[in-house]
Amino acid sequence: MDPLASIIPYAALKQQKDIKKLYSSISIESTRFLRYKGRRTADNKEILCFELITQILKQDFSKYSALSYTWGHAVQDDFVDDFSHIIDCNGQEIPIGVNLNDALQHLFVNSSLAPELLWVDAICIDQSNVEERGQQVQLMARIYARASMAIVWLGIDDLDARIASEFLQEYVPVLRKIVHNYTDIDPLSAVPASAHNVYDDPEFHAEHGIKARSMEHWRSLRLSSLPQASSAADPLRFQWQDFDLFVALVFGAQWHGPNFHGMEKETAEIAVLFTLYREIRLVAGAGHFDDPTGLLSIEDKAYHFAQYCLRHTIVLKATDPRDKIYAISSLVHSYAARLGIKALWPKADYTSGVIEVFKITLVILIWKTRSLDLLSYVPDKSERAISTLPTWLPHFHIQNATNMDCLLNLHGSHNYHAGYLSQQHPIRPDVHIETDSWSLRAKGILIDKIEEVTRFEEGQIVGMLKMCLDMPEEYINGEPPVEVLWRTLIAGRTDTAYPAPPQTEAAFSAYVKAILIARVLESARAKDQEATTNILETLESIEDICPHPAIPSVAEFDALVHSAIRDPEQYHKDMQELYARNTYRTGVTPSPSGLNGKSLCRTVNGYLGLFPYSAEVGDEVWLLEGARVFHLLRSRSDVAREFMGESYVHGLMQGEALEMYELDWQFPSIN
């Protein structure tokens, strides 16, 4: 029995006796197809009629189309459907959802497509038969690959979709020309995604005769549903190759560019999907999974690719969460077969619960990749969903419930190797997983404990500046306190470089001044003199104890505030320009995906770092052998610990701690 049967609509519907008569057992290599038979009228409604036939899925049998669509419907609350529509199948009425009904009406009534045979998972698979569901899911890659046409239905068109369609029609010919020009010069060259600024470059628009559009139009494009096909002459039908080209050269150009301020969450999600799509295309072709270190074995590549696919599905939702694992199966097995190995991956088994499936999958990945990278995707404790998963396992089964904005997803993060001395000689972690209690025991060193915590909340930039006052004149790497602060806040890197170049200091300075001026002006309106006094006293203390050109003196700051008061219009203009162009993005501010940022913490031994938002004084800073980053644990007892999350400790991210401390290895038990 499927423990999730109650949440799988078609499974519940097909438990009805009359509907179950439709389905007889089929062989492992067979599947069912719909053949359109016309329409009939009942209760003044037209009902589409089909014949359900069974065929062996042979290599030479390709006279069918396969439909890809979502079971839910975006117009309904949380994609929940009422299944109020009906089709006739072998004389039996079957309830179907709004989205599937729209797709079938379009294909067989409103367009010229009308495939001879159509494969639709909700109908062609007996969803109430868990054994058949598992077998058919394993066939799905072949079903889509051997189809004469794969039809992607994304919904009935609306205004946003028509805007998006206009973009496609106008840009695709231009993008084809760009690709042709590049490959004409060098047939083997790849077209760089950022070769052209297609968004707001007037010269590019003039050269190619493209109409300039407002950013609201681009927003519509990024958030629209881009629907599949209407009638043969309908402009909202497009070829996948055109969409592929458009995605690669347009969406691939500027993920976090200054033009999209306020759309960070949407662009971040698109970036995740685009990079996943790019890697799948690479692996499906003649290429191999990207290995920047050049150190992965053949088997390593297969499982790192599997892990990569799983991580990049975090922004996607599945009616049945287990399908996130089962959908990746064909990608993993096909890539492994090309590498000449057989991959270990959970088979589709709908008698297993969600937590069981994900536990097994994540344990396989940690075991086979011999990496602790997955731990970085565990969200902060304040944002974890209620679950029976151990605290050290990320919630990949819940949409957007993992830490998409983790340290390992930052540009330059491949330079982190806190748990081993050389990037060229990584150490495999010594990890043991106790399957009875699901505790993780990893070899590690207790480096330090948290002594002071500051979070990015209103006015807390002052608290962060005050941390400079308690630091020595020179940090362990020789840097002065203010430089330690600005480098720590960005985890030592920028969006384009690691380590952060010296000129980043100017961006930090502008960032601090803007926040402090805004805070003073707000305090003046609220008649909160204490807040202003706190800022001025902090600036004065820094000027006396650890002066730095990035932090304004009291006199300089006073002049900046008075300038803003004298000319508020220019001040607001300057602030808009700053927010649009400043590249200083800290790890403590809320992330593009809407999660809390990290806490800025000082440890007992005087280290500064970025730690989970829920960090508390007394939490333990651990360096797990072979890990790329530090991890924060909270002691529950003498032996048991709770996993809090990944951490960045400035000055210790490249194995320095291994040379500074006696290697008193322990095996903390993380529950």
Side-chain angles (χ1 to χ4, degrees):
M1 180 178 176
D2 181 0
L4 268 70
S6 62
I7 71 164
I8 310 301
Y10 287 103
L13 290 170
K14 290 178 182 179
Q15 291 287 358
Q16 299 173 23
K17 289 184 179 180
D18 290 341
I19 295 179
K20 283 189 71 65
K21 293 177 183 178
L22 274 173
Y23 299 99
S24 56
S25 61
I26 57 176
S27 68
I28 295 176
E29 293 297 316
S30 298
T31 191
R32 303 182 185 91
F33 295 96
L34 290 173
R35 176 179 281 136
Y36 181 56
K37 306 295 287 183
R39 290 173 282 175
R40 68 175 174 85
T41 303
D43 298 329
N44 297 320
K45 291 182 180 180
E46 281 197 340
I47 298 175
L48 300 181
C49 301
F50 297 91
E51 178 186 4
L52 190 64
I53 66 170
T54 301
Q55 294 275 3
I56 296 175
L57 196 65
K58 294 179 180 177
Q59 184 69 43
D60 58 351
F61 179 70
S62 60
K63 295 180 180 179
Y64 69 89
S65 298
L67 180 66
S68 177
Y69 66 106
T70 59
W71 278 18
H73 198 281
V75 176
Q76 310 293 337
D77 292 339
D78 197 28
F79 288 80
V80 174
D81 213 327
D82 59 3
F83 294 88
S84 57
H85 296 272
I86 291 172
I87 62 169
D88 182 308
C89 197
N90 291 3
Q92 174 65 51
E93 291 187 351
I94 299 180
I96 62 172
V98 175
N99 202 37
L100 178 54
N101 182 72
D102 290 343
L104 295 177
Q105 287 284 341
H106 171 81
L107 291 176
F108 294 102
V109 179
N110 302 325
S111 80
S112 60
L113 291 173
E116 180 182 345
L117 295 174
L118 181 66
W119 185 85
V120 182
D121 60 349
I123 301 170
C124 296
I125 300 174
D126 182 358
Q127 301 292 336
S128 65
N129 184 329
V130 291
E131 183 179 356
E132 180 181 310
R133 280 170 63 194
Q135 292 172 352
Q136 291 289 298
V137 164
Q138 293 179 61
L139 282 178
M140 283 178 69
R142 274 190 282 168
I143 291 172
Y144 280 107
R146 294 178 183 179
S148 57
M149 179 168 57
I151 302 169
V152 181
W153 173 261
L154 297 177
I156 294 177
D157 64 288
D158 57 15
L159 178 60
D160 279 349
R162 292 190 176 277
I163 292 173
S165 181
E166 289 176 11
F167 272 87
L168 277 174
Q169 292 183 68
E170 186 171 9
Y171 273 78
V172 165
V174 173
L175 298 177
R176 282 185 186 143
K177 181 180 176 182
I178 291 172
V179 171
H180 177 75
N181 290 342
Y182 268 91
T183 53
D184 230 20
I185 298 170
D186 179 3
L188 299 179
S189 69
V191 182
S194 58
H196 300 277
N197 174 10
V198 300
Y199 298 99
D200 59 358
D201 183 350
E203 293 183 7
F204 179 82
H205 291 161
E207 178 184 353
H208 297 284
I210 295 175
K211 181 172 63 177
R213 289 179 171 85
S214 69
M215 295 313 296
E216 279 303 309
H217 277 77
W218 281 106
R219 183 183 181 89
S220 295
L221 175 63
R222 286 181 175 247
L223 302 182
S224 70
S225 295
L226 281 174
Q228 157 68 28
S230 305
S231 67
D234 194 319
L236 297 190
R237 181 193 300 176
F238 57 87
Q239 294 297 316
W240 177 257
Q241 293 89 335
D242 292 343
F243 186 51
D244 178 37
L245 178 68
F246 190 83
V247 168
L249 269 70
V250 176
F251 283 173
Q254 297 179 11
W255 291 123
H256 298 287
N259 295 324
F260 293 99
H261 180 68
M263 288 178 59
E264 291 84 358
K265 183 177 187 295
E266 292 88 349
T267 53
E269 290 185 356
I270 292 173
V272 170
L273 295 178
F274 176 80
T275 51
L276 172 62
Y277 167 68
R278 182 193 62 200
E279 289 295 343
I280 289 175
R281 280 191 64 203
L282 176 66
V283 168
H288 288 287
F289 179 65
D290 185 31
D291 172 21
T293 66
L295 301 173
L296 296 180
S297 68
I298 295 296
E299 187 177 58
D300 287 341
K301 285 184 178 181
Y303 289 102
H304 275 79
F305 173 65
Q307 181 170 281
Y308 182 93
C309 290
L310 182 60
R311 292 198 330 252
H312 282 70
T313 61
I314 56 182
V315 299
L316 301 178
K317 183 177 181 179
T319 304
D320 184 338
R322 295 167 296 187
D323 286 337
K324 284 195 172 186
I325 300 297
Y326 301 151
I328 294 171
S329 177
S330 61
L331 298 173
V332 175
H333 286 302
S334 61
Y335 184 45
R338 184 138 45 80
L339 294 174
I341 65 171
K342 190 173 182 179
L344 176 65
W345 195 255
K347 287 186 177 181
D349 178 5
Y350 290 97
T351 63
S352 300
V354 173
I355 299 302
E356 182 182 355
V357 170
F358 275 84
K359 277 181 179 178
I360 292 170
T361 303
L362 295 173
V363 167
I364 288 173
L365 288 176
I366 290 175
W367 172 39
K368 286 295 189 177
T369 61
R370 292 174 289 174
S371 163
L372 294 173
D373 286 0
L374 277 179
L375 273 61
S376 283
Y377 292 85
V378 175
D380 182 75
K381 185 177 181 179
S382 65
E383 293 165 322
R384 291 176 196 168
I386 297 175
S387 172
T388 57
L389 278 177
T391 61
W392 55 272
L393 281 178
H395 296 184
F396 284 116
H397 60 296
I398 302 174
Q399 183 187 27
N400 286 329
T402 51
N403 183 17
M404 186 173 73
D405 309 292
C406 67
L407 292 169
L408 299 188
N409 276 355
L410 298 176
H411 175 83
S413 63
H414 63 275
N415 292 289
Y416 298 153
H417 53 91
Y420 45 98
L421 291 173
S422 169
Q423 192 174 7
Q424 298 305 313
H425 299 91
I427 297 174
R428 303 302 187 185
D430 190 353
V431 176
H432 305 271
I433 299 171
E434 300 171 1
T435 53
D436 55 344
S437 63
W438 290 98
S439 296
L440 175 76
R441 296 181 67 246
K443 185 178 179 181
I445 310 169
L446 176 58
I447 295 291
D448 212 338
K449 292 187 178 182
I450 300 297
E451 185 171 72
E452 182 181 358
V453 179
T454 304
R455 299 182 180 90
F456 189 86
E457 293 165 348
E458 189 175 3
Q460 285 307 303
I461 186 67
V462 179
M464 294 179 183
L465 291 174
K466 284 182 176 180
M467 282 191 170
C468 296
L469 304 176
D470 296 319
M471 294 171 61
E473 289 186 15
E474 285 191 359
Y475 197 65
I476 55 169
N477 56 11
E479 293 171 352
V482 173
E483 182 176 354
V484 173
L485 175 64
W486 72 253
R487 288 189 179 276
T488 300
L489 286 174
I490 54 174
R493 34 61 63 206
T494 67
D495 287 348
T496 57
Y498 182 94
Q503 55 266 35
T504 310
E505 185 174 285
F508 165 74
S509 181
Y511 168 82
V512 169
K513 290 172 184 175
I515 293 178
L516 292 180
I517 292 172
R519 180 64 178 143
V520 167
L521 295 178
E522 183 181 331
S523 299
R525 287 191 294 270
K527 297 182 180 180
D528 181 7
Q529 185 58 40
E530 184 179 348
T532 300
T533 300
N534 188 26
I535 291 173
L536 295 176
E537 288 179 349
T538 301
L539 294 178
E540 185 177 18
S541 297
I542 291 177
E543 190 176 358
D544 290 340
I545 298 172
C546 52
H548 194 279
I551 306 299
S553 65
V554 173
E556 181 186 355
F557 183 70
D558 187 60
L560 290 171
V561 171
H562 279 86
S563 175
I565 294 172
R566 283 195 305 271
D567 192 348
E569 186 176 339
Q570 183 61 43
Y571 165 72
H572 288 297
K573 184 178 179 181
D574 291 344
M575 289 302 100
Q576 288 177 344
E577 178 70 15
L578 173 65
Y579 284 121
R581 299 295 175 185
N582 197 322
T583 58
Y584 190 81
R585 299 183 179 91
T586 76
V588 295
T589 51
S591 69
S593 60
L595 299 177
N596 287 323
K598 296 196 181 299
S599 294
L600 180 71
C601 299
R602 184 170 53 81
T603 70
V604 172
N605 292 328
Y607 298 124
L608 203 62
L610 297 176
F611 294 87
Y613 183 83
S614 296
E616 294 178 357
V617 172
D619 285 346
E620 300 173 345
V621 183
W622 282 82
L623 178 58
L624 302 181
E625 184 182 40
R628 294 164 60 191
V629 296
F630 288 83
H631 296 95
L632 194 70
L633 306 182
R634 181 168 295 166
S635 179
R636 285 179 168 174
S637 66
D638 291 340
V639 292
R641 287 172 171 82
E642 177 182 4
F643 185 80
M644 300 303 296
E646 61 166 8
S647 305
Y648 168 91
V649 181
H650 189 63
L652 299 181
M653 296 303 292
Q654 295 185 306
E656 295 89 347
L658 296 173
E659 297 180 313
M660 294 169 54
Y661 289 88
E662 292 184 14
L663 302 184
D664 181 18
W665 296 107
Q666 303 176 51
F667 281 87
S669 179
I670 308 171
N671 303 124

PDB file of all heavy atoms in Angstrom, residues 168 172-173 175-176 237-248:
ATOM      1  N   LEU A 168       9.974  35.886 -27.829  1.00  0.00           N
ATOM      2  CA  LEU A 168      10.535  34.753 -28.565  1.00  0.00           C
ATOM      3  C   LEU A 168      10.572  35.037 -30.063  1.00  0.00           C
ATOM      4  O   LEU A 168      11.592  34.822 -30.724  1.00  0.00           O
ATOM      5  CB  LEU A 168       9.706  33.502 -28.302  1.00  0.00           C
ATOM      6  CG  LEU A 168      10.020  32.722 -27.025  1.00  0.00           C
ATOM      7  CD1 LEU A 168       9.004  31.599 -26.848  1.00  0.00           C
ATOM      8  CD2 LEU A 168      11.415  32.144 -27.074  1.00  0.00           C
ATOM      9  N   VAL A 172      14.500  35.343 -31.219  1.00  0.00           N
ATOM     10  CA  VAL A 172      15.080  34.097 -31.724  1.00  0.00           C
ATOM     11  C   VAL A 172      15.846  34.296 -33.030  1.00  0.00           C
ATOM     12  O   VAL A 172      16.977  33.812 -33.169  1.00  0.00           O
ATOM     13  CB  VAL A 172      14.005  33.004 -31.856  1.00  0.00           C
ATOM     14  CG1 VAL A 172      14.505  31.839 -32.716  1.00  0.00           C
ATOM     15  CG2 VAL A 172      13.622  32.492 -30.472  1.00  0.00           C
ATOM     16  N   PRO A 173      15.300  35.014 -34.045  1.00  0.00           N
ATOM     17  CA  PRO A 173      16.088  35.228 -35.269  1.00  0.00           C
ATOM     18  C   PRO A 173      17.411  35.951 -35.003  1.00  0.00           C
ATOM     19  O   PRO A 173      18.436  35.635 -35.613  1.00  0.00           O
ATOM     20  CB  PRO A 173      15.162  36.075 -36.148  1.00  0.00           C
ATOM     21  CG  PRO A 173      13.783  35.771 -35.643  1.00  0.00           C
ATOM     22  CD  PRO A 173      13.942  35.585 -34.172  1.00  0.00           C
ATOM     23  N   LEU A 175      19.143  35.905 -32.137  1.00  0.00           N
ATOM     24  CA  LEU A 175      20.037  35.002 -31.421  1.00  0.00           C
ATOM     25  C   LEU A 175      20.613  33.944 -32.355  1.00  0.00           C
ATOM     26  O   LEU A 175      21.775  33.550 -32.225  1.00  0.00           O
ATOM     27  CB  LEU A 175      19.295  34.339 -30.262  1.00  0.00           C
ATOM     28  CG  LEU A 175      18.777  35.312 -29.190  1.00  0.00           C
ATOM     29  CD1 LEU A 175      17.997  34.556 -28.121  1.00  0.00           C
ATOM     30  CD2 LEU A 175      19.903  36.096 -28.562  1.00  0.00           C
ATOM     31  N   ARG A 176      19.814  33.492 -33.313  1.00  0.00           N
ATOM     32  CA  ARG A 176      20.341  32.550 -34.305  1.00  0.00           C
ATOM     33  C   ARG A 176      21.490  33.189 -35.088  1.00  0.00           C
ATOM     34  O   ARG A 176      22.501  32.542 -35.380  1.00  0.00           O
ATOM     35  CB  ARG A 176      19.225  32.146 -35.271  1.00  0.00           C
ATOM     36  CG  ARG A 176      18.250  31.124 -34.722  1.00  0.00           C
ATOM     37  CD  ARG A 176      17.283  30.729 -35.819  1.00  0.00           C
ATOM     38  NE  ARG A 176      16.236  29.845 -35.324  1.00  0.00           N
ATOM     39  CZ  ARG A 176      14.987  29.899 -35.742  1.00  0.00           C
ATOM     40  NH1 ARG A 176      14.621  30.783 -36.647  1.00  0.00           N
ATOM     41  NH2 ARG A 176      14.099  29.049 -35.265  1.00  0.00           N
ATOM     42  N   ARG A 237       2.525  28.772 -29.956  1.00  0.00           N
ATOM     43  CA  ARG A 237       3.191  27.485 -30.093  1.00  0.00           C
ATOM     44  C   ARG A 237       4.628  27.756 -30.537  1.00  0.00           C
ATOM     45  O   ARG A 237       4.864  28.573 -31.424  1.00  0.00           O
ATOM     46  CB  ARG A 237       2.505  26.621 -31.142  1.00  0.00           C
ATOM     47  CG  ARG A 237       3.169  25.247 -31.304  1.00  0.00           C
ATOM     48  CD  ARG A 237       2.675  24.530 -32.544  1.00  0.00           C
ATOM     49  NE  ARG A 237       1.232  24.305 -32.488  1.00  0.00           N
ATOM     50  CZ  ARG A 237       0.548  23.759 -33.492  1.00  0.00           C
ATOM     51  NH1 ARG A 237       1.153  23.414 -34.606  1.00  0.00           N
ATOM     52  NH2 ARG A 237      -0.750  23.586 -33.374  1.00  0.00           N
ATOM     53  N   PHE A 238       5.581  27.096 -29.909  1.00  0.00           N
ATOM     54  CA  PHE A 238       6.982  27.320 -30.288  1.00  0.00           C
ATOM     55  C   PHE A 238       7.742  26.010 -30.264  1.00  0.00           C
ATOM     56  O   PHE A 238       7.349  25.054 -29.591  1.00  0.00           O
ATOM     57  CB  PHE A 238       7.658  28.337 -29.364  1.00  0.00           C
ATOM     58  CG  PHE A 238       7.617  27.974 -27.913  1.00  0.00           C
ATOM     59  CD1 PHE A 238       8.600  27.176 -27.346  1.00  0.00           C
ATOM     60  CD2 PHE A 238       6.576  28.420 -27.100  1.00  0.00           C
ATOM     61  CE1 PHE A 238       8.554  26.827 -26.004  1.00  0.00           C
ATOM     62  CE2 PHE A 238       6.522  28.066 -25.759  1.00  0.00           C
ATOM     63  CZ  PHE A 238       7.518  27.269 -25.214  1.00  0.00           C
ATOM     64  N   GLN A 239       8.834  25.977 -31.006  1.00  0.00           N
ATOM     65  CA  GLN A 239       9.684  24.800 -31.047  1.00  0.00           C
ATOM     66  C   GLN A 239      10.645  24.815 -29.864  1.00  0.00           C
ATOM     67  O   GLN A 239      11.146  25.870 -29.468  1.00  0.00           O
ATOM     68  CB  GLN A 239      10.489  24.770 -32.360  1.00  0.00           C
ATOM     69  CG  GLN A 239       9.634  24.576 -33.595  1.00  0.00           C
ATOM     70  CD  GLN A 239       8.927  23.235 -33.586  1.00  0.00           C
ATOM     71  OE1 GLN A 239       9.525  22.207 -33.266  1.00  0.00           O
ATOM     72  NE2 GLN A 239       7.641  23.246 -33.929  1.00  0.00           N
ATOM     73  N   TRP A 240      10.900  23.623 -29.324  1.00  0.00           N
ATOM     74  CA  TRP A 240      11.788  23.538 -28.170  1.00  0.00           C
ATOM     75  C   TRP A 240      13.178  24.084 -28.484  1.00  0.00           C
ATOM     76  O   TRP A 240      13.803  24.728 -27.650  1.00  0.00           O
ATOM     77  CB  TRP A 240      11.899  22.095 -27.688  1.00  0.00           C
ATOM     78  CG  TRP A 240      12.863  21.958 -26.550  1.00  0.00           C
ATOM     79  CD1 TRP A 240      14.132  21.485 -26.574  1.00  0.00           C
ATOM     80  CD2 TRP A 240      12.626  22.392 -25.207  1.00  0.00           C
ATOM     81  NE1 TRP A 240      14.706  21.561 -25.323  1.00  0.00           N
ATOM     82  CE2 TRP A 240      13.797  22.123 -24.467  1.00  0.00           C
ATOM     83  CE3 TRP A 240      11.528  22.966 -24.561  1.00  0.00           C
ATOM     84  CZ2 TRP A 240      13.901  22.411 -23.117  1.00  0.00           C
ATOM     85  CZ3 TRP A 240      11.642  23.248 -23.205  1.00  0.00           C
ATOM     86  CH2 TRP A 240      12.813  22.967 -22.507  1.00  0.00           C
ATOM     87  N   GLN A 241      13.676  23.873 -29.708  1.00  0.00           N
ATOM     88  CA  GLN A 241      15.015  24.355 -30.057  1.00  0.00           C
ATOM     89  C   GLN A 241      15.109  25.866 -29.920  1.00  0.00           C
ATOM     90  O   GLN A 241      16.136  26.399 -29.495  1.00  0.00           O
ATOM     91  CB  GLN A 241      15.383  23.947 -31.495  1.00  0.00           C
ATOM     92  CG  GLN A 241      15.562  22.449 -31.696  1.00  0.00           C
ATOM     93  CD  GLN A 241      14.248  21.770 -32.067  1.00  0.00           C
ATOM     94  OE1 GLN A 241      13.166  22.271 -31.738  1.00  0.00           O
ATOM     95  NE2 GLN A 241      14.354  20.630 -32.750  1.00  0.00           N
ATOM     96  N   ASP A 242      14.013  26.561 -30.297  1.00  0.00           N
ATOM     97  CA  ASP A 242      14.008  28.026 -30.180  1.00  0.00           C
ATOM     98  C   ASP A 242      14.027  28.451 -28.717  1.00  0.00           C
ATOM     99  O   ASP A 242      14.740  29.379 -28.322  1.00  0.00           O
ATOM    100  CB  ASP A 242      12.773  28.616 -30.865  1.00  0.00           C
ATOM    101  CG  ASP A 242      12.819  28.447 -32.369  1.00  0.00           C
ATOM    102  OD1 ASP A 242      13.922  28.175 -32.901  1.00  0.00           O
ATOM    103  OD2 ASP A 242      11.759  28.588 -33.014  1.00  0.00           O
ATOM    104  N   PHE A 243      13.214  27.770 -27.914  1.00  0.00           N
ATOM    105  CA  PHE A 243      13.176  28.098 -26.494  1.00  0.00           C
ATOM    106  C   PHE A 243      14.516  27.794 -25.839  1.00  0.00           C
ATOM    107  O   PHE A 243      14.990  28.541 -24.986  1.00  0.00           O
ATOM    108  CB  PHE A 243      12.056  27.293 -25.822  1.00  0.00           C
ATOM    109  CG  PHE A 243      11.822  27.660 -24.385  1.00  0.00           C
ATOM    110  CD1 PHE A 243      11.634  28.980 -24.023  1.00  0.00           C
ATOM    111  CD2 PHE A 243      11.774  26.693 -23.396  1.00  0.00           C
ATOM    112  CE1 PHE A 243      11.413  29.335 -22.690  1.00  0.00           C
ATOM    113  CE2 PHE A 243      11.552  27.032 -22.079  1.00  0.00           C
ATOM    114  CZ  PHE A 243      11.368  28.354 -21.727  1.00  0.00           C
ATOM    115  N   ASP A 244      15.130  26.696 -26.246  1.00  0.00           N
ATOM    116  CA  ASP A 244      16.445  26.305 -25.741  1.00  0.00           C
ATOM    117  C   ASP A 244      17.466  27.406 -26.007  1.00  0.00           C
ATOM    118  O   ASP A 244      18.229  27.820 -25.128  1.00  0.00           O
ATOM    119  CB  ASP A 244      16.852  25.001 -26.424  1.00  0.00           C
ATOM    120  CG  ASP A 244      18.229  24.531 -25.997  1.00  0.00           C
ATOM    121  OD1 ASP A 244      18.565  24.700 -24.810  1.00  0.00           O
ATOM    122  OD2 ASP A 244      18.958  23.982 -26.836  1.00  0.00           O
ATOM    123  N   LEU A 245      17.482  27.903 -27.235  1.00  0.00           N
ATOM    124  CA  LEU A 245      18.412  28.973 -27.607  1.00  0.00           C
ATOM    125  C   LEU A 245      18.134  30.235 -26.798  1.00  0.00           C
ATOM    126  O   LEU A 245      19.050  30.896 -26.298  1.00  0.00           O
ATOM    127  CB  LEU A 245      18.263  29.263 -29.106  1.00  0.00           C
ATOM    128  CG  LEU A 245      19.114  30.394 -29.676  1.00  0.00           C
ATOM    129  CD1 LEU A 245      20.587  30.012 -29.659  1.00  0.00           C
ATOM    130  CD2 LEU A 245      18.663  30.706 -31.102  1.00  0.00           C
ATOM    131  N   PHE A 246      16.855  30.561 -26.657  1.00  0.00           N
ATOM    132  CA  PHE A 246      16.463  31.762 -25.926  1.00  0.00           C
ATOM    133  C   PHE A 246      16.907  31.691 -24.466  1.00  0.00           C
ATOM    134  O   PHE A 246      17.470  32.633 -23.914  1.00  0.00           O
ATOM    135  CB  PHE A 246      14.951  31.923 -26.014  1.00  0.00           C
ATOM    136  CG  PHE A 246      14.439  33.241 -25.503  1.00  0.00           C
ATOM    137  CD1 PHE A 246      14.448  34.363 -26.311  1.00  0.00           C
ATOM    138  CD2 PHE A 246      13.945  33.367 -24.213  1.00  0.00           C
ATOM    139  CE1 PHE A 246      13.974  35.580 -25.849  1.00  0.00           C
ATOM    140  CE2 PHE A 246      13.477  34.572 -23.739  1.00  0.00           C
ATOM    141  CZ  PHE A 246      13.484  35.687 -24.566  1.00  0.00           C
ATOM    142  N   VAL A 247      16.651  30.553 -23.832  1.00  0.00           N
ATOM    143  CA  VAL A 247      17.038  30.370 -22.432  1.00  0.00           C
ATOM    144  C   VAL A 247      18.547  30.504 -22.272  1.00  0.00           C
ATOM    145  O   VAL A 247      19.042  31.184 -21.370  1.00  0.00           O
ATOM    146  CB  VAL A 247      16.567  28.996 -21.917  1.00  0.00           C
ATOM    147  CG1 VAL A 247      17.209  28.672 -20.579  1.00  0.00           C
ATOM    148  CG2 VAL A 247      15.052  28.994 -21.767  1.00  0.00           C
ATOM    149  N   ALA A 248      19.297  29.862 -23.162  1.00  0.00           N
ATOM    150  CA  ALA A 248      20.750  29.840 -23.032  1.00  0.00           C
ATOM    151  C   ALA A 248      21.370  31.223 -23.161  1.00  0.00           C
ATOM    152  O   ALA A 248      22.232  31.608 -22.375  1.00  0.00           O
ATOM    153  CB  ALA A 248      21.345  28.907 -24.074  1.00  0.00           C
TER     154      ALA A 248
END
